[in-house]
Amino acid sequence: VQLQASGGGLVQAGGSLRLSCAASGATLDYYAIGWFRQAPGKEREGISCITYIGDRTYYADSVKGRFTISRDSAKNTVYLQMNSLKPEDTAVYYCAADLFGNYSGSYYFAYGMDYWGKGTLVTVSS
């Protein structure tokens, strides 16, 4: 599966962005999808994921209540709606996939997923 994240950009603090993770060569309904980010000089951070079975969603504490992950099967796309953005949300955001994945968020956030796309840069100005 080939993944492509898009939708990043420059936004002021308090603003919103919606990231998209599109796939070619596979149907995302069969995958757990995760969103990860990496800020300059920092380690990769898992921030949200949605499982293959039951579409269970998980969020890191740093984004809980502000970000929402969702799946649009018709468009074969997974979205990350980001609201109330903060300067500390500035990072390159990546989507990743795990075929038939059903692990918890803590597992995926710690160990990552099998397939990765190129990232999209989100910059939040203060």
Side-chain angles (χ1 to χ4, degrees):
V1 57
Q2 293 184 323
L3 304 171
Q4 179 62 58
S6 62
L10 174 64
V11 63
Q12 289 188 330
S16 298
L17 283 174
R18 188 178 74 164
L19 304 184
S20 299
C21 178
S24 59
T27 300
L28 288 186
D29 282 355
Y30 298 129
Y31 292 80
I33 302 298
W35 285 98
F36 299 77
R37 68 186 181 186
Q38 188 163 22
K42 294 189 176 180
E43 292 188 353
R44 185 186 71 198
E45 177 189 16
I47 57 173
S48 184
C49 65
I50 185 167
T51 61
Y52 159 62
I53 296 177
D55 278 355
R56 296 193 312 275
T57 57
Y58 298 89
Y59 299 93
D61 287 344
S62 58
V63 306
K64 198 173 295 182
R66 300 188 297 123
F67 291 10
T68 303
I69 191 170
S70 62
R71 191 193 294 273
D72 186 332
S73 299
K75 295 183 178 180
N76 202 29
T77 300
V78 171
Y79 300 102
L80 185 70
Q81 178 67 42
M82 307 188 297
N83 299 328
S84 302
L85 284 161
K86 305 175 181 180
E88 51 263 44
D89 294 318
T90 295
V92 177
Y93 285 70
Y94 301 87
C95 62
D98 180 27
L99 182 62
F100 303 131
N102 203 39
Y103 292 111
S104 68
S106 58
Y107 177 91
Y108 283 127
F109 296 165
Y111 298 110
M113 293 183 169
D114 292 334
Y115 304 97
W116 294 82
K118 294 182 179 180
T120 184
L121 176 63
V122 172
T123 304
V124 184
S125 63
S126 57

